[in-house]
Amino acid sequence: MSLRTTTPAVGYVEDVAPGRGTIPPRARYTSDAASVSLNGDWRFRLSPAADAEDDSFAEPGYDATGWTEIAVPGHWVLQGHGAPIYTNHLYPFPVDPPRVPTENPTGDHLRHFDLPEGWPATGDAVLRFDGVESCARVWLNGTELGEFKGSRLPHEFEVGRLLEPAGNVLAVRVHQWSAGSYLEDQDQWWLPGIFRDVTLLHRPAHGARDLFVHASYDHVTGEGTLRVDSDVPGRVTVPELSVDVATGEPVTVAVEPWTAETPRLYDGVLATEGERVRLRIGFRTVAVEDGLIKVNGSPVLFKGVNRHEWHPERGRALDVETMRADVLLMKRHNVNAVRTSHYPPHPAFLDLCDEYGLWVMDECDLETHGFTEQSWRDNPVDDDRWTPALLDRAARMVERDKNHPSVVVWSLGNEAGTGRGLTAMAEWIHARDDSRLVHYEGDIDCRDTDVYSRMYARHAEVEKIGRRLDGGTHKRRGLPFILCEYGHAMGNGPGGLADYQRIFESYDRLQGGFIWEWIDHGVAHPELGFAYGGDFGEELHDGNFVCDGLVFPDRTPSPGLTDFKKVIEPVRIEGDGPSGTVRVTNAHDFADLSTLAFEWSCQVDGETVDSGPLSVPPLTPGESADVKLPAPPEAPAGAETQWTVRALLAQDTPWGERGHVVAWSQLPLGKGESAVLSATARPTADGPLVRLGPAVFDARTGALRTIGGVEVTSPPRLDVWRATTDNDDGAPWQSDARHGPLWRKLGLHRMQHRLDAVEVAQDALTVRTRVAPAAAEVALRTVYRWTADGTRLRLSVSVTPEGDWRLPLPRLGVRLGLASADRVTWFGGGPGEAYPDTRSASMLGRWHSTVDALQTPYVRPQENGARADVRWAELGGLRIEGDPEFWFTARRWTTEQLDAATHLTDLTPGGTVWVNLDHGQMGIGSQSCGPGALPRYHLHAGPGTFAFVFTETG
């Protein structure tokens, strides 16, 4: 008797090679050659392992009637077959490269199709897959074509010899895990499937296989030089430029250059004997000169975002309109650049960037972040066996996208350590395309790259780099600097963006950066609203770290995006309100201000009383002009007055309508008076009650019960707690103090209030308390002093710290509950939320909202909804005036309920509206991955007094 060992016949899954059978990578283009989209409903069968089923399903005539159907493009785990997995960097399988688990979900896909009528009888055909995760094996009409890895990259097979006029059978076996998975450990959901387009392309005889459009611009002469290289001869025509030249032949003509601000494209045609290829030509030159990134001879400042591809129902299977929505939102919020983190995007996205104007850092489909868990041991990028796969990925990115003028930087990948494979990629890219720069953040010495890049560097360090005091290699010291990731937009935040921008604009070497990131990757869920890591039963997951975008999963802009728009606005408007002089500065890199119209308005106590146009010359980039405002209108004595100046689109543009606000500024004109109350009312005892002016109090506790006819369900008392934000809680790997955990350790979420005295004096009711956490010596001595006149009630709160307060406070103010409130009106900052380091977009005015609309729907509930600089607010029959201005928050659940919620569906409105009137708030920062709030935004415990006046509005 003998023992026999069997090995599954799926060796290609664990082969480090990129694949076999595909044709060499080439440029993507559109032409008049025939094509057929194979998108649509495909037959589908899911197996638990790579070798669970044989290959018979690929044979013509196979009966798949018992199979289900899924949509292609799509992910099977989002269509009822299995579940998605979210990890930030941990591999969700044992790390044993290149081996993968036996439990390897494998999806067999079948598509039957006929050739359309008129399909050419001559020539060849190419079958193109634009994106399959993570490994695919392909058959057509029973003949195996090959297999490939590289999930977010195109792969093509020549299939002309196999096509039939009708009854063609395309079979694709997709494995969730493969050797390629070790190269695709990006911070995102693991989502197997055929998630980008599948297309059959006719390739006519004498048609171009590949072409390379070289279109440079000389900013000195104003001329562009065009040369189109093609593997077959042809002629290049650009009618608008009167160009008609042979392929490979350069021609120099006067042109308008392409920039992200002025995305000038010229339509051309490459005509070969077999087809006509459409060209979209943008003339521009990218170089590092004088230690700066320059486009067309001028330095650029990237005001960018990192963009994963995401849709809450379809995952990474995006349609063109969704991509267009992204681009339009970016343009309307002053974003000028995109890093395609961490893989090349759907090619249509780059078409849109060309058309609308965005600088693009095109990033390769490469990340091996999980190897940090073993100190980068066995990292594929430093293992020669993997170098062919790395070079294949670099080539597929560069060849596909090389004709896009929007692409100005190639990025080797992200968080993959260092090694020989990355050097090989950089050398290949530099040799293939010397018209763009090469980037890789992990190359700290800039041995292989053209840009010094960092992630999440602190403000002080960025300033040091700007001053060229950071040291490093000789080469690095001479290179421009960018933050490829900063401003981690997880939950409430990011804070500190204005501080970064001031530093960027102070030092030429600092050329901006890219916010992490564009969109929350929440998965639409019938019970949870939007799901995140752990909601699908993952063994390992990183929670809501996948929800760290400037827009919510449904592409609603977050307050963070509104703040970023204001911080990076391309027009600076400054001045002195009383003098009536405004200085307007053009902060564009290339565009003048001829496309903008300016207007002024004047507000009295938050309401606009007059407005008109403002004449501003069409300033060139960097140019300023002083402009005189008209004489201000008469205002009542004691009123607060201000100017508001706006820059708007003068006419409709491809990305915005006439009147769209590009930039704005407010200039104080006259300061208003604080609420003054003469304490003429006398407190009187009435059994268990004390009456003071319009108010009734509990005589024993001093608790406020009513103000006139308004019931106070919970009396005002000191509040220092907020439902911690993702940035308060910080990232586990942060070495600095993470305030959220420290606040909880101290017990600030469970403060106890001790009543020391209730004193009824001739002109006031005074309540003395001590507010402190259990098991700690620190406390806040708090005195509430109530005074009144005939109709108004004033609360003065005095706070004196006791003990050694080493932590800043989350907030400092009072919280009260009102029996009912729906509508809110306030005079202060708005219309959206703001915190000390996220308040750039807070515009002073008179605003109206519902209580519900005050809430910001962060995917993981947390502190939100504060309005800054509030002079007064009206809700629930009360008018509340502050002395000084205050932070205002109102919601239908308590802070404790908000703090305990994990999803928005956990929050159930109650019968009480909880109102926070805060004297101070702690800053936000971005410590969910980056630095915490700057010290200037810390709310330190110290002696303080603040007051509010309450009036029943009837």
Side-chain angles (χ1 to χ4, degrees), residues 566-578:
K566 182 71 177 76
V567 166
I568 61 174
E569 59 189 10
V571 180
R572 296 284 184 247
I573 304 169
E574 303 163 308
D576 177 66

Side-chain angles (χ1 to χ4, degrees), residues 168 458 501 532 706 740:
N168 292 285
R458 300 173 185 280
Q501 196 67 23
Y532 49 76
T706 61

Side-chain angles (χ1 to χ4, degrees), residues 28-30 39 128 130-131 152 154 196-197 199 265 278 280 307 309 316-328 340 344-358 360 362 400-401 404 406-407:
R28 185 186 179 95
Y29 55 82
T30 58
N39 297 346
R128 182 173 66 207
D130 278 313
R152 286 153 282 276
R196 287 186 185 162
D197 305 290
T199 311
L265 292 173
R278 184 192 184 201
R280 296 278 278 168
R307 175 186 175 269
E309 296 184 305
R316 286 188 286 277
L318 301 189
D319 59 12
V320 173
E321 289 313 306
T322 299
M323 296 179 236
R324 191 185 307 275
D326 279 343
V327 171
L328 292 177
T340 68
H346 189 292
F349 180 76
L350 297 180
D351 292 335
L352 295 168
C353 294
D354 293 343
E355 178 183 351
Y356 290 101
L358 287 169
V360 174
D362 199 354
R400 189 196 74 170
D401 298 341
H404 288 282
S406 58
V407 176

Side-chain angles (χ1 to χ4, degrees), residues 419-570:
R420 292 162 289 177
L422 288 164
T423 297
M425 293 170 70
E427 290 175 347
W428 184 90
I429 293 174
H430 276 121
R432 178 58 174 148
D433 178 24
D434 61 1
S435 69
R436 294 175 174 92
L437 310 181
V438 171
H439 164 275
Y440 178 64
E441 182 268 342
D443 184 8
I444 193 67
D445 292 328
C446 303
R447 182 183 62 178
D448 301 320
T449 55
D450 303 309
V451 181
Y452 178 30
S453 175
R454 290 284 304 282
M455 294 181 182
Y456 307 109
R458 300 173 185 280
H459 297 77
E461 183 182 0
V462 173
E463 183 164 17
K464 187 176 180 180
I465 293 170
R467 298 171 64 192
R468 299 185 184 274
L469 299 175
D470 55 301
T473 63
H474 177 76
K475 178 183 179 182
R476 194 182 84 180
R477 294 197 303 273
L479 292 180
F481 177 80
I482 61 170
L483 279 171
C484 67
E485 294 179 21
Y486 80 109
H488 198 253
M490 186 175 176
N492 188 334
L497 297 185
D499 304 276
Y500 272 118
Q501 196 67 23
R502 281 191 290 270
I503 298 170
F504 292 159
E505 295 177 5
S506 298
Y507 302 96
D508 290 343
R509 186 190 188 191
L510 308 179
Q511 298 197 252
F514 300 81
I515 298 294
W516 186 268
E517 66 162 308
W518 175 243
I519 189 168
D520 287 343
H521 304 199
V523 177
H525 193 284
E527 298 172 0
L528 302 175
F530 292 114
Y532 49 76
D535 288 334
F536 297 96
E538 300 102 306
E539 180 184 15
L540 296 174
H541 66 85
D542 286 290
N544 68 312
F545 200 70
V546 77
C547 295
D548 47 13
L550 291 170
V551 298
F552 298 128
D554 62 0
R555 285 178 164 74
T556 299
S558 77
L561 181 58
T562 306
D563 187 62
F564 190 46
K565 174 187 177 180
K566 182 71 177 76
V567 166
I568 61 174
E569 59 189 10

Side-chain angles (χ1 to χ4, degrees), residues 77-105:
V77 294
L78 297 182
Q79 300 184 64
H81 305 278
I85 300 170
Y86 168 61
T87 60
N88 168 30
H89 76 281
L90 296 175
Y91 289 106
F93 48 79
V95 179
D96 183 23
R99 304 299 302 277
V100 295
T102 301
E103 294 81 8
N104 188 357

